[in-house]
Amino acid sequence: MKILTRREFVRERFGESAWEALLGCMSMEDRGQIASVDPVAWYDIRLVERLVTAISQHFKTDDALLVELGRFDAERELSTVHRWFLRVMRPSFAIRHMDVYWGGS
């Protein structure tokens, strides 16, 4: 999902042509992986890192844009169920008891 979220961010913020130009700055292998990304598949985290680095370099960003990217990502990751869950339970409690819902003992 991280790759797709970054694509959405660039397209919404800068337009489709900016996304295509950004991809043109990346290696052929990275472009191929990004073009065929599956939202439920696992990818090497270094691909996401290279994509964020390319965004930062291509758009000559400052920290404010990267913070905006982080917020954009977080808003899309928090599903309705997660939002409801956080209203019912304090985040600190959820973090302390993460093993319960991740199958730990």
Side-chain angles (χ1 to χ4, degrees), residues 17-37:
S17 61
W19 173 252
E20 295 301 325
L22 172 68
L23 289 179
C25 297
M26 300 185 74
S27 73
M28 189 75 99
E29 182 181 346
D30 285 352
R31 285 195 309 256
Q33 287 184 19
I34 291 169
S36 63
V37 73

Side-chain angles (χ1 to χ4, degrees), residues 1-85:
M1 288 299 297
K2 297 286 185 195
I3 295 169
L4 295 176
T5 303
R6 273 123 185 97
R7 182 184 68 192
E8 287 177 41
F9 176 79
V10 170
R11 286 177 170 173
E12 286 183 23
R13 183 82 157 61
F14 300 104
E16 179 65 32
S17 61
W19 173 252
E20 295 301 325
L22 172 68
L23 289 179
C25 297
M26 300 185 74
S27 73
M28 189 75 99
E29 182 181 346
D30 285 352
R31 285 195 309 256
Q33 287 184 19
I34 291 169
S36 63
V37 73
D38 178 352
V40 295
W42 289 83
Y43 294 89
D44 187 336
I45 192 68
R46 291 174 291 195
L47 176 61
V48 177
E49 179 185 337
R50 289 191 299 272
L51 179 56
V52 172
T53 299
I55 290 169
S56 181
Q57 291 173 349
H58 183 74
F59 298 109
K60 299 176 179 35
T61 61
D62 57 8
D63 290 343
L65 187 68
L66 295 177
V67 169
E68 188 180 330
L69 172 60
R71 283 194 180 115
F72 185 91
D73 188 42
E75 287 174 2
R76 277 154 181 75
E77 277 197 17
L78 281 177
S79 68
T80 304
V81 173
H82 291 114
R83 290 175 197 268
W84 176 84
F85 180 74

